[in-house]
Amino acid sequence: METNTFEIYAPVRNTINKALGVVVKVAGDNVTVQPPAGDRLTFRAQYLAPANEAETAALQDLITRLKIDDENRSKAKTIKTDPALIRAEFEKFVHHIEVRYPKSAGAFREFWSELMAAAGDLPGQTWEMKPNTAKTPGPVLKIFNQATQKWVYGLTLLAGWGLRMEIKKEYLPPGSENLFPIDHAMFGAGRAVELIYKDFTPEKRKPYADCVRAMYAPPPPPAA
């Protein structure tokens, strides 16, 4: 049996059950295919054939969607490492708030500047924009995990008309539990607080900035 070779996004037909799909990965003779509905499946290349013209037309919307998804993932990876792009994404995010809630946007910017003074304004290191902002919009503060030696998500800000902050319990400074009264946030891994900007005075904001400052304080030296 002749074995075809396939490129990514190639429309294909399963020669056994005639099911259609689009190639998303090729590893030797193994070809992973995304069907129009359902999970991806991996086949030996010998059981796949190029789709004909009519089948290709039927798969065109799926091909377009897969290409857009891949472009978005690539863009997200670039944004996560480019400080200028991170800042641009942040500005777009705040602008979306400003269009609907001008006063909220101003209050959020003011609080954000206080957090940056506490954490250090280093986009890509101490903070970034979440890649999937459609589901969980907003910036996230990152903290250096001593165990893994990596910068990881520590405090997420979900901003709009009001402000919700979610912090991972392992990075919550001792004595700060009352600042985040909602327990079992982040699927049990964190604590949260929901705030209304008009009640979020400078006096009430200060403990949160101090909490972030404590998160970024260097660990004490080991005991002698």
Side-chain angles (χ1 to χ4, degrees):
M1 181 183 295
E2 182 181 353
T3 300
N4 292 298
T5 57
F6 300 99
E7 297 183 354
I8 303 300
Y9 307 126
V12 296
R13 177 193 341 104
N14 187 307
T15 58
I16 297 175
N17 60 13
K18 310 305 180 185
L20 301 179
V22 177
V23 173
V24 293
K25 182 180 178 181
V26 178
D29 289 335
N30 294 321
V31 181
T32 301
V33 174
Q34 172 65 63
D39 297 329
R40 296 179 175 186
L41 302 169
T42 300
F43 304 95
R44 301 286 288 182
Q46 67 192 73
Y47 298 114
L48 297 173
N52 61 34
E53 187 175 348
E55 293 166 338
T56 298
L59 291 168
Q60 197 57 54
D61 286 346
L62 176 58
I63 294 171
T64 300
R65 177 166 61 83
L66 290 171
K67 288 181 177 180
I68 291 173
D69 288 346
D70 286 345
E71 288 172 3
N72 287 340
R73 278 192 288 270
S74 178
K75 178 182 176 184
K77 289 179 182 179
T78 302
I79 288 172
K80 288 180 71 171
T81 57
D82 188 319
L85 290 177
I86 294 172
R87 291 192 189 279
E89 287 296 306
F90 177 82
E91 289 301 322
K92 285 196 292 186
F93 168 73
V94 179
H95 175 71
H96 288 316
I97 300 174
E98 197 168 28
V99 169
R100 295 171 295 169
Y101 317 112
K103 291 184 178 179
S104 293
F108 177 72
R109 280 188 184 279
E110 191 171 353
F111 180 53
W112 179 254
S113 68
E114 295 168 353
L115 294 184
M116 290 296 93
D121 188 3
L122 300 171
Q125 179 174 312
T126 57
W127 69 277
E128 67 183 45
M129 296 299 293
K130 276 200 168 185
N132 193 351
T133 55
K135 291 183 180 178
T136 52
V140 58
L141 298 187
K142 300 175 70 177
I143 190 78
F144 188 72
N145 185 303
Q146 295 290 340
T148 64
Q149 295 292 294
K150 293 181 180 180
W151 288 87
V152 298
Y153 287 179
L155 176 66
T156 301
L157 292 92
L158 306 171
W161 175 79
L163 174 64
R164 179 182 172 94
M165 292 188 289
E166 298 179 344
I167 187 171
K168 286 189 176 178
K169 293 178 182 180
E170 60 190 293
Y171 303 122
L172 184 64
S176 300
E177 290 81 5
N178 64 311
L179 296 177
F180 298 87
I182 304 171
D183 200 359
H184 303 299
M186 306 169 79
F187 303 100
R191 297 179 67 95
V193 61
E194 293 184 351
L195 301 159
I196 305 300
Y197 290 115
K198 67 183 181 65
D199 301 324
F200 203 29
T201 62
E203 292 75 22
K204 290 184 178 180
R205 294 198 308 263
K206 185 178 184 301
Y208 288 97
D210 290 343
C211 174
V212 168
R213 190 170 287 105
M215 287 172 60
Y216 286 85

